[in-house]
């Protein structure tokens, strides 16, 4: 169990130049003393391009004032911890903040979440979706193809039935 507090962040700064940090992963086992701890780290990592964090932890630090702070992140992994991207208010807050995301990995429970993700994240080129209550089948892939087709894009999808995971590569139609 990890416990992230001000003291830990100061210790981290003696070992790592946060300015040069491009990839940050915070385990879902890691507890934050305050949500502001993550924000403090993010403010000191201007070159951060990839963030992996528990969804609830991330949502707890989001604020409209921090939009510019997080726009440099291109790859976002929302760790599974019995949280799903199905609360559309939370999703819209995430996507307004992370509008430049090109790669996304997350867990969902309903297929309408795919529509929301694809419509909000116009820069998305790859997404890996862990489907918790939905079986990956051709109708699911057709659903995603229909959505991106309306957006003037096309996809290539690959499913892993043993893990109920769907990987989607998205490109602009030529």
């Amino acid at each position: 169990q990890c416990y992230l507090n001000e003291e830990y962040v100061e210790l981290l700064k003696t070992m790592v130049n946060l300015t040069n940090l491009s990839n940050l992963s915070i385990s879902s086992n890691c507890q934050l003393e305050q949500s502001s701890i993550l924000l403090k780290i993010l403010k000191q990592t201007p070159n951060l391009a990839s963030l992996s964090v528990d969804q609830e932890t991330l949502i707890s630090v989001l604020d409209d004032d921090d939009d510019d702070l997080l726009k440099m992140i291109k790859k976002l992994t929302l760790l599974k911890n019995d949280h799903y991207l199905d609360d559309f208010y939370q999703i819209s807050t995430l996507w307004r903040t992370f509008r430049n995301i090109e790669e996304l990995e997350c867990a969902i429970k309903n297929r309408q979440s795919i529509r929301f993700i694809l419509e909000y994240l116009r820069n998305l080129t790859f997404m890996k979706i862990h489907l918790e209550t939905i079986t990956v089948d051709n109708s699911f892939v057709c659903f995603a193809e229909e959505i991106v087709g309306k957006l003037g894009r096309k996809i290539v999808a690959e499913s892993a039935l043993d893990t109920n995971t769907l990987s989607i590569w998205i490109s602009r139609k030529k």
Side-chain angles (χ1 to χ4, degrees), residues 59-159:
I59 287 173
S60 72
V61 303
L62 293 182
D63 184 341
D64 289 339
D65 296 336
D66 302 318
D67 282 1
D68 289 338
L69 171 67
L70 302 169
K71 70 181 177 185
M72 74 284 194
I73 295 174
K74 303 291 184 204
K75 181 179 180 183
L76 179 62
T77 301
L78 298 174
L79 301 174
K80 294 191 302 182
N81 195 15
D82 295 328
H83 301 293
Y84 308 97
L85 275 182
D86 290 313
D87 177 326
F88 292 115
Y89 173 75
Q90 287 183 343
I91 292 173
S92 65
T93 302
L94 274 172
W95 300 160
R96 277 193 312 273
T97 305
F98 292 98
R99 61 190 166 274
N100 294 323
I101 292 294
E102 295 173 4
E103 295 182 32
L104 172 68
E105 182 173 350
C106 64
I108 64 170
K109 284 197 294 188
N110 72 63
R111 73 186 213 166
Q112 289 303 320
S113 297
I114 289 269
R115 174 185 304 277
F116 209 71
I117 291 167
L118 291 170
E119 289 175 351
Y120 264 80
L121 298 178
R122 299 297 178 107
N123 294 331
L124 205 60
T125 58
F126 175 76
M127 60 194 256
K128 186 173 188 176
I129 305 294
H130 303 279
L131 304 159
E132 297 300 319
T133 59
I134 310 163
T135 303
V136 177
D137 59 15
N138 283 340
S139 69
F140 196 88
V141 173
C142 289
F143 177 73
E145 286 174 338
E146 179 184 324
I147 295 165
V148 296
K150 290 177 183 176
L151 299 171
R153 304 181 85 183
K154 63 181 181 175
I155 65 169
V156 173
E158 179 181 287
S159 58

Side-chain angles (χ1 to χ4, degrees), residues 5-104:
N5 57 21
E6 292 274 345
E7 191 176 305
Y8 189 87
V9 172
E10 292 305 315
L11 177 63
L12 181 65
K13 286 169 43 180
T14 64
M15 295 182 279
V16 178
N17 182 349
L18 296 179
T19 305
N20 296 331
L21 197 65
S22 62
N23 184 7
L24 176 63
S25 181
I26 298 176
S27 167
S28 58
N29 294 334
C30 193
Q31 287 187 324
L32 300 172
E33 182 179 68
Q34 302 169 327
S35 59
S36 62
I37 298 293
L38 177 57
L39 198 53
K40 181 177 181 173
I41 294 170
L42 293 174
K43 285 181 178 178
Q44 297 178 50
T45 55
N47 295 312
L48 190 66
S50 175
L51 177 62
S52 179
V53 66
D54 179 76
Q55 174 183 327
E56 292 299 311
T57 301
L58 184 59
I59 287 173
S60 72
V61 303
L62 293 182
D63 184 341
D64 289 339
D65 296 336
D66 302 318
D67 282 1
D68 289 338
L69 171 67
L70 302 169
K71 70 181 177 185
M72 74 284 194
I73 295 174
K74 303 291 184 204
K75 181 179 180 183
L76 179 62
T77 301
L78 298 174
L79 301 174
K80 294 191 302 182
N81 195 15
D82 295 328
H83 301 293
Y84 308 97
L85 275 182
D86 290 313
D87 177 326
F88 292 115
Y89 173 75
Q90 287 183 343
I91 292 173
S92 65
T93 302
L94 274 172
W95 300 160
R96 277 193 312 273
T97 305
F98 292 98
R99 61 190 166 274
N100 294 323
I101 292 294
E102 295 173 4
E103 295 182 32
L104 172 68

